[in-house]
Amino acid sequence: MDIHEYQAKEILARFGVPVPRGGLAYSPEQAGYHARELGGDAWVVKAQVHSGGRGEAGGVKLCRSEEEVREFAATLFGHKLVTKQTDANGKDIFRVWVEAASDIEQELYLGLVLDRKSERIMIVASGHGGMEIEDLAHEDPDSLRRMVVDPAVGLAEYQSRELAFSLGLRGGEIAQMVNTVRACYRAYRDLDAMMVEINPLVITKSGDLVALDAKMSFDTNALFRRPQILELRDRSQEDPRESNAEDHGLAYVGLDGDIGCIINGAGLAMATMDMIKLAGGEPANFLDIGGGASPERVAQAFRTVLTDANVQVILVNIFAGINRCDWVAEGVVQAYKSEGLTLPVVVRLAGTNVAEGRKILEQSGLPLITADTLAEAAEKAVEARARQAA
Ligand code: GDP
Ligand code: MN
């Protein structure tokens, strides 16, 4: 689960990371009011959306007067911000963060991620911050420093000091860096984070280390024990298809194609997507309905797939092990009727009670397209898609 920049800054500040003073606005007037209250003569106005690359996309601006703050904020509210990291629709701007501007001497990069290979938290840093980590890894890979933390020992002070030295920091900058890295590590560990990223982490002209941007992402499997983090969830920033599926306990990932997939098992779901591609089609989603698929669950899966307006054909592929094909077939028939389906539906069933399952599909009198193998199902779905387009 992702949170907003201002929320991440608030959390990190609690752990001891220095951040600029600022205020959250829900209207241009509030933005102007924050600028006045903060004082000074320069403010940074920032669209709060769950995405990086806001600066390049016109979602961040350095403003020199209260009026400029209000005017720029007015161009953000009610609009969508399209960045390199969002899809073509972008994300709605409902919140704007206004903070006292900093005079930047140097931009650094600091990130903490879960390294799946070593199964440990990895700290990544660079003396060359500001751009996205992907671009940094491409354009200046030698500047990247990586350090893995042993969970039994925790982050040792010498490690953060070594990191600060390797970035070329000097004097008082070193102690500030050590402090910031340790604060980020504690926040990551204590809150079940999956990612903490400060980019840029800057050294100001007066020699202070400050986090000008902050990003945090949390392990959804640990949210049951992090109610305060869960409260930071902003559904307006999520793909509605995915949050809807999650509410119903379905593992769903939205994609760009038009063949909706209802499948049990992550492996089978991936194999089915491969077969659709091989047959010349494009899947609209990844959806794993899990092991014990009751008719209700299958019907819910249909509703979830149908929330995607791009879907032209639905492919149901169930291999029943602990599941039962007759239950799945019941679910398909129920969903077809209750949802008033008009789209072609291709069904492939295999495993426990497959004969009973097929009989239910046949006797339903519905125009379902059946298939015996995975390859046949994918081909029939792509054919049906072509007929729809014609
Ligand atoms: P992102 O583009 O979504 O990663 O948003 P950032 O918060 O990183 O802001 C984009 C860029 O705006 C940063 O990389 C900085 O170069 C610039 N920026 C942000 N805050 C300040 C500030 O206080 N002063 C100055 N001069 N530039 C800033
Ligand atoms: Mn940034």
Side-chain angles (χ1 to χ4, degrees), residues 114-128:
L114 178 70
D115 178 39
R116 292 183 188 274
K117 212 159 130 198
S118 61
E119 302 175 356
R120 289 172 182 198
I121 297 174
M122 180 186 269
I123 302 177
V124 184
S126 162
H128 194 161

Side-chain angles (χ1 to χ4, degrees), residues 46 51-55 130-132 197-200 212-215:
K46 315 179 81 174
S51 170
R54 294 164 303 161
M131 56 178 133
E132 296 299 321
E197 185 184 67
I198 303 181
N199 187 27
L212 286 201
D213 191 8
K215 215 182 209 177

Side-chain angles (χ1 to χ4, degrees), residues 246-265:
E246 198 188 304
D247 291 345
H248 293 97
L250 301 169
Y252 176 99
V253 180
L255 300 167
D256 297 329
D258 48 24
I259 299 179
C261 301
I262 297 176
I263 299 156
N264 71 325

